[in-house]
Amino acid sequence: MKPSIVRADPAAAFLTAERCRILELWNSADDPAVSIALATVAPGETTQLHRLHGVDERYLILHGEGLVSLGRQSPEPVGPGDLVVIPAGITQQIANTGDGELAFYCICTPRFTPCCYEALEG
């Protein structure tokens, strides 16, 4: 890994089957320790129930209002500045309960790769 500044390219954002938009900010084999993505969830939308194998994830809520479900815990409201800690293997889902976009950073350690993702809905 070299010292650098990585600039986000909003045009690179993509919709996922998970029902959110993802903009990969940092996900490189040269830095396997971490990946960072910006996720956005539209008003009234709920992401697909899923879990990550071998990857711990954190959601850092930037703006909007949501309701996050983790494992067998009761769903909890989240908002700007909240940090949601999701250990590897824990089921997760977030709903946008507000009128505007829900945006949060997804910080994964080690870095996210598609093979770690398990969808838990048909």
Side-chain angles (χ1 to χ4, degrees):
M1 178 171 51
K2 297 186 230 175
S4 60
I5 296 172
V6 178
R7 305 212 188 276
D9 177 8
F14 57 93
L15 288 173
T16 69
E18 189 182 342
R19 298 186 291 271
C20 66
R21 180 175 292 280
I22 295 290
L23 175 59
E24 290 279 359
L25 302 171
W26 182 255
N27 192 340
S28 171
D30 293 336
D31 184 8
V34 66
S35 64
I36 304 169
L38 174 62
T40 55
V41 180
E45 192 67 77
T46 300
T47 63
Q48 173 175 257
L49 184 66
H50 66 283
R51 68 177 148 218
L52 302 182
H53 294 282
V55 174
D56 296 320
E57 187 169 21
R58 296 129 193 107
Y59 293 166
L60 177 55
I61 310 300
L62 298 172
H63 60 83
E65 300 170 10
L67 190 65
V68 69
S69 299
L70 301 174
R72 296 187 174 168
Q73 298 178 12
S74 296
E76 290 195 42
V78 292
D82 289 342
L83 181 68
V84 180
V85 178
I86 310 163
I90 297 296
T91 59
Q92 57 181 291
Q93 187 172 47
I94 192 165
N96 182 339
T97 57
D99 295 330
E101 180 180 78
L102 173 63
F104 52 97
Y105 289 123
C106 302
I107 304 160
C108 293
T109 56
R111 79 182 183 102
F112 176 87
T113 58
C115 66
C116 74
Y117 185 93
E118 180 185 4
L120 297 171
E121 294 178 8

